Amino acid sequence: MFDTDIIIVGGGAAGMIAAIFAAQNGADVLLLEKNERLGRKLAITGKGRCNVTNNCNLQTLLDNIPKNARFLYGAFSRWSPQDTMRFFESLGVPLKTERGNRVFPVSDKAADIVSALTKRLGELNVTIKRENVRSLIIENGACRGVNTRGGQFKADAVILATGGASYPKTGSDGFGYRLAEQAGHKIIPPRPSLCPLVTEEMWVAKAAGLTLKNAAIKLTYNGKPIYEDFGEAAFTNDGISGATVLSASAHIPEAAVGEQLSIVNCTLSIDLKPALSEQQLDARILRDFAALRGKTLADALRKLLPSELIAPFSELLELPLDKRTDEINKVSRKNLVKLLKNLTLNLKALRPIDEAIITRGGVSTAEIDPKTMESRLCDGLFFAGELIDADAYTGGFNLQIAFATGTLSGASAAEFVKNR
């Protein structure tokens, strides 16, 4: 038995900052984490660089949250991206703002963010135990602690900050949903967001491993464009990935996602030559063909494409690679222009949730008080981070959700304990 004011389940970004703010507001805090180290997922975010937030205003922040942005308005009003930046710099982590207002540690080391949070927990005398929580202790409609493999821990309030279901090896294995359900909460079925996409086209396997650095992508649903981006796209064994594609995956409508993560009526097109109009590109190809008179289509494509795409383009154009450039007619040349400007992939499915950066779905926001992050169903139970049904696009917005809901739940739980 361990009696304390507040128990926090989950030692990720939301859980650690919730513990800090609960302790700063006078509460005795016990942080339970099943991993050996705190912040395992946080340590690998942003390819190990940690995009801690986005240096933007409130409206831009809300615009980058496709679902339940209104629910987060109160948390963001109390804890802005600029508050996140000041907080980490006060802990001795210098930050920098890069393209797209993405904020990173100057050191480019996510470990510095984890270390700063861990050090602050120690300064505030937060007790940290490695425990695997099995269930909540609910008495007379109130949450009064947790049961773990190591025993029972009682408290006046509990904050669930267990993460979603993405990156299960880091501890975000979806168990928090079962704890929330025990308290009577509705769980919006989790699905992957910010994840690679599977395509109907099989030829992508021939280009697997190729990364396009300056590609313009367009996502369409039922023939209508719904998202455009510019940057990195990468081919995989069964589809497409890369920064632009991960962002596009978050824009795929709920109506387009069926059973077993299948996708219907969505395409992703890639402009391989975004700096040139079709007319300019056609003129360039004419010049290339003239200069390569007597040479083959393969020779011409080498001047236009990465080597990994040469064979697929030959198949898509239905032209043999050994065909001479002076034998390629106007129609075939125009088809080449269209393919370079609009390489279209028919989307088949989302990759599994354990490959996603973030989880869409989770505890229904209708059952959480947005002013405190407290459960509307169970007295003394609070929520923070990815466990909640609210997610954002790439660019530091998801960590801002974690920090904003974490600070609010921690401070609110401390106030709850004071008023008991």
Side-chain angles (χ1 to χ4, degrees):
M1 179 82 73
F2 187 105
D3 292 317
T4 190
D5 292 333
I6 299 170
I7 292 172
I8 297 172
V9 183
M16 284 192 284
I17 207 164
I20 287 168
F21 273 73
Q24 285 181 171
N25 281 274
D28 289 325
V29 180
L30 170 63
L31 176 60
L32 301 179
E33 167 58 48
K34 61 185 175 184
N35 290 315
E36 290 184 9
R37 301 187 310 276
L38 299 177
R40 280 192 65 187
K41 185 176 178 181
L42 184 58
I44 62 173
T45 59
K47 297 180 180 178
R49 296 177 63 216
C50 193
N51 184 183
V52 292
T53 189
N54 191 283
N55 191 5
C56 65
N57 59 28
L58 177 59
Q59 189 56 54
T60 301
L61 190 54
L62 296 171
D63 288 344
N64 279 274
I65 298 167
K67 185 180 180 185
N68 294 326
R70 186 178 180 84
F71 168 79
L72 294 167
Y73 182 89
F76 288 153
S77 297
R78 289 188 53 165
W79 190 261
S80 69
Q82 291 70 39
D83 290 321
T84 298
M85 294 170 69
R86 283 189 289 268
F87 173 74
F88 282 107
E89 292 192 323
S90 75
L91 297 184
V93 183
L95 303 175
K96 60 182 176 180
T97 301
E98 297 186 356
R99 181 180 60 84
N101 291 323
R102 291 169 166 85
V103 179
F104 295 89
V106 169
S107 66
D108 285 328
K109 294 180 180 178
D112 289 351
I113 297 294
V114 178
S115 295
L117 291 169
T118 304
K119 181 182 178 184
R120 185 59 180 151
L121 290 168
E123 293 170 348
L124 293 166
N125 297 314
V126 171
T127 302
I128 301 169
K129 286 185 176 292
R130 188 185 179 197
E131 290 285 352
N132 208 321
V133 174
R134 287 184 163 180
S135 63
L136 301 176
I137 299 171
I138 298 176
E139 300 171 352
N140 301 317
C143 189
R144 293 294 176 258
V146 297
N147 292 305
T148 75
R149 289 180 181 175
Q152 189 177 78
F153 297 84
K154 300 294 285 287
D156 294 315
V158 173
I159 300 173
L160 294 183
T162 57
S166 58
Y167 287 100
K169 290 181 180 179
T170 66
S172 298
D173 58 5
F175 184 72
Y177 301 137
R178 294 192 285 278
L179 295 178
E181 283 180 317
Q182 184 194 343
H185 280 273
K186 176 183 177 181
I187 303 301
I188 308 302
R191 55 160 267 202
S193 186
L194 304 180
C195 66
L197 302 172
V198 181
T199 64
E200 296 281 357
E201 289 74 16
M202 305 291 288
W203 63 258
V204 293
K206 295 180 179 178
L210 170 65
T211 296
L212 304 170
K213 297 292 186 182
N214 299 300
I217 64 110
K218 181 187 295 182
L219 176 70
T220 65
Y221 174 58
N222 285 333
K224 296 180 180 179
I226 56 175
Y227 180 71
E228 295 183 25
D229 201 356
F230 178 84
E232 233 179 58
F235 292 97
T236 65
N237 284 319
D238 63 1
I240 190 84
S241 187
T244 59
V245 176
L246 297 182
S247 294
S249 74
H251 289 77
I252 294 173
E254 298 287 340
V257 182
E259 293 182 4
Q260 297 181 329
L261 304 179
S262 62
I263 298 174
V264 295
N265 302 325
C266 282
T267 64
L268 187 85
S269 62
I270 306 172
D271 184 348
L272 295 164
K273 301 293 179 182
L276 300 175
S277 66
E278 286 196 11
Q279 293 78 10
Q280 291 170 324
L281 183 56
D282 189 39
R284 176 191 161 172
I285 291 172
L286 273 171
R287 291 194 300 271
D288 287 350
F289 280 10
L292 293 168
R293 187 173 181 82
K295 299 291 185 179
T296 65
L297 174 65
D299 295 318
L301 291 181
R302 287 189 192 101
K303 294 177 69 68
L304 292 165
L305 292 167
S307 60
E308 295 90 341
L309 288 177
I310 290 175
F313 261 62
S314 173
E315 293 176 18
L316 293 168
L317 291 166
E318 298 182 346
L319 291 174
L321 286 173
D322 60 0
K323 191 176 185 69
R324 294 206 327 247
T325 57
D326 51 309
E327 295 176 338
I328 297 173
N329 61 30
K330 183 178 179 180
V331 172
S332 293
R333 194 184 76 244
K334 293 291 186 183
N335 288 340
L336 173 57
V337 170
K338 289 178 182 177
L339 201 56
L340 287 165
K341 294 292 291 179
N342 189 29
L343 179 59
T344 300
L345 299 166
N346 293 285
L347 301 183
K348 181 179 181 180
L350 298 164
R351 288 294 300 169
I353 201 164
D354 60 0
E355 295 180 29
I357 292 176
I358 204 77
T359 307
R360 176 162 296 174
V363 180
S364 171
T365 57
E367 299 169 351
I368 302 172
D369 185 343
K371 296 179 181 178
T372 61
M373 294 295 130
E374 185 179 8
S375 166
R376 296 186 188 274
L377 309 180
C378 184
D379 194 44
L381 180 63
F382 296 78
F383 299 95
E386 195 180 343
L387 185 65
I388 301 168
D389 179 28
D391 64 281
Y393 304 138
T394 56
F397 302 106
N398 285 294
L399 272 181
Q400 179 60 27
I401 292 175
F403 294 135
T405 57
T407 57
L408 180 54
S409 64
S412 299
E415 187 66 21
F416 173 86
V417 169
K418 287 177 187 176
N419 294 331
R420 283 201 73 222

